[in-house]
Amino acid sequence: GVGSKTWYWPGDGVVVPGTGDGSVRLVLFLHQMGSTPSQQGVWSFKAIGGAVAVVDNYRDDPDRWRVVQFRNPHAVGKDAAEKAPGRFEVSWGVAVYLDPDYGSASDRFLYIYGVQETSKWNKQLMLARVAPRAVCRFDTWRFYAGSGQWVTDPSKTVPVAEHVVNELSVERIVVGGKPRLVMVHSEPVFGTRIMIRLANRPEGPWSKPQYVYDVPGVKKNKAYFTYAAKGHAHLSRSGELLVSYVINSNDFRAMVSDADIYRPRFIRAGLDGLTDNVAPE
């Protein structure tokens, strides 16, 4: 369970069919974090594991939500990764995508993106899929192993994109007159830019990153950085994508003394010029 020294960070969420009676439920992906007492400052935490929370009455006030929580056995924390040579941290549910067009409604898949901490210089994007009704039956998850193959063994998963970050979004939106999948994330290793990638299928091939915005204000303080860029297709106007991002600080004192940071910021990113750069990495 989660105690005083552990907590959850929310990942993505999705509304999926319920138990077959016409109901629907909210599924939230959670990343379990823990403190690292030997470290100081704003980075004194580590990944421990993950969970999936299900809310059947999500239309009610959140104070009245009835939440059922399931531990995600496919999430790999820092300590577990360090104990097994060749194993890496993996956080599942950084983004999810419910395919609206695959076969009949009963054949649709929920695609679940995970980030594998291969190194601090290259975090890889992994992909699993599951029937939407069965998202908490973790033995039914299938993992993308390349060449159109989906397998039961998560260790066989291959990356669908390189050089990503721990927070991103994957959504379907019209680009250049046709539906495309659009991935949004901040530049890796705390760069200052926001990037967009395109694909026709959840597994890709994904385009190379295309930079759409250079975040101003980061150079105001040498401790500042930007992160957490995500798209919001349901709030966007035709031909563009509403994107949010955050500026934060390595210095806790600066974070609490400057009210201009550590809050959501928004831009409208134009999409028309993104249709040409679709070559895989």
Side-chain angles (χ1 to χ4, degrees), residues 211-256:
Y211 301 100
V212 296
Y213 190 65
D214 198 348
V215 174
V218 181
K219 295 181 181 179
K220 177 181 176 181
N221 186 312
K222 65 180 181 181
Y224 287 2
F225 57 92
T226 182
Y227 69 111
K230 299 181 182 73
H232 304 277
H234 64 294
L235 300 175
S236 301
R237 300 186 303 202
S238 176
E240 64 184 25
L241 182 63
L242 185 69
V243 174
S244 62
Y245 66 95
V246 176
I247 296 176
N248 206 342
S249 176
N250 288 311
D251 183 350
F252 185 79
R253 291 170 299 180
M255 183 178 66
V256 298

Side-chain angles (χ1 to χ4, degrees), residues 184-188 190-197 209-218 226-227 229-230 241-247 264-271 274:
V184 178
H185 62 79
S186 297
E187 188 174 9
F190 294 118
T192 61
R193 296 179 291 182
I194 293 173
M195 59 180 62
I196 287 179
R197 307 182 192 217
Q210 302 168 76
Y211 301 100
V212 296
Y213 190 65
D214 198 348
V215 174
V218 181
T226 182
Y227 69 111
K230 299 181 182 73
L241 182 63
L242 185 69
V243 174
S244 62
Y245 66 95
V246 176
I247 296 176
R265 298 165 180 263
F266 296 88
I267 62 168
R268 293 188 176 100
L271 301 176
L274 298 176

Side-chain angles (χ1 to χ4, degrees), residues 25-49:
R25 53 180 49 176
L26 173 65
V27 175
L28 299 171
F29 290 82
L30 305 172
H31 312 306
Q32 187 178 1
M33 312 302 294
S35 60
T36 51
S38 61
Q39 293 180 278
Q40 300 296 320
V42 299
W43 303 108
S44 56
F45 57 84
K46 63 182 177 180
I48 294 177

Side-chain angles (χ1 to χ4, degrees), residues 70-251:
F70 302 84
R71 185 184 70 86
N72 185 350
H74 301 309
V76 180
K78 180 179 177 63
D79 293 343
E82 290 179 345
K83 292 177 182 178
R87 197 179 189 195
F88 303 102
E89 291 179 52
V90 183
S91 299
W92 289 102
V94 296
V96 295
Y97 172 70
L98 186 58
D99 192 331
D101 292 333
Y102 185 89
S104 65
S106 61
D107 293 329
R108 294 168 68 193
F109 289 113
L110 176 64
Y111 290 89
I112 305 165
Y113 290 91
V115 170
Q116 179 169 276
E117 307 270 347
T118 312
S119 76
K120 65 179 181 179
W121 308 113
N122 182 19
K123 297 183 179 184
Q124 298 175 320
L125 190 66
M126 320 303 275
L127 182 61
R129 74 182 188 186
V130 66
R133 295 183 190 277
V135 63
C136 294
R137 291 175 48 198
F138 297 102
D139 60 321
T140 68
W141 284 30
R142 297 295 179 263
F143 302 89
Y144 188 65
S147 303
Q149 301 298 309
W150 296 88
V151 299
T152 59
D153 184 354
S155 69
K156 304 297 183 184
T157 313
V158 301
V160 297
E162 306 274 352
H163 303 287
V164 298
V165 293
N166 291 82
E167 295 191 60
L168 53 87
S169 63
V170 175
E171 303 174 286
R172 184 164 128 156
I173 197 168
V174 175
V175 181
K178 64 178 181 178
R180 305 292 296 277
L181 292 182
V182 177
M183 182 195 309
V184 178
H185 62 79
S186 297
E187 188 174 9
V189 201
F190 294 118
T192 61
R193 296 179 291 182
I194 293 173
M195 59 180 62
I196 287 179
R197 307 182 192 217
L198 303 177
N200 290 319
R201 291 288 303 155
E203 64 271 24
W206 285 94
S207 73
K208 293 181 180 179
Q210 302 168 76
Y211 301 100
V212 296
Y213 190 65
D214 198 348
V215 174
V218 181
K219 295 181 181 179
K220 177 181 176 181
N221 186 312
K222 65 180 181 181
Y224 287 2
F225 57 92
T226 182
Y227 69 111
K230 299 181 182 73
H232 304 277
H234 64 294
L235 300 175
S236 301
R237 300 186 303 202
S238 176
E240 64 184 25
L241 182 63
L242 185 69
V243 174
S244 62
Y245 66 95
V246 176
I247 296 176
N248 206 342
S249 176
N250 288 311
D251 183 350

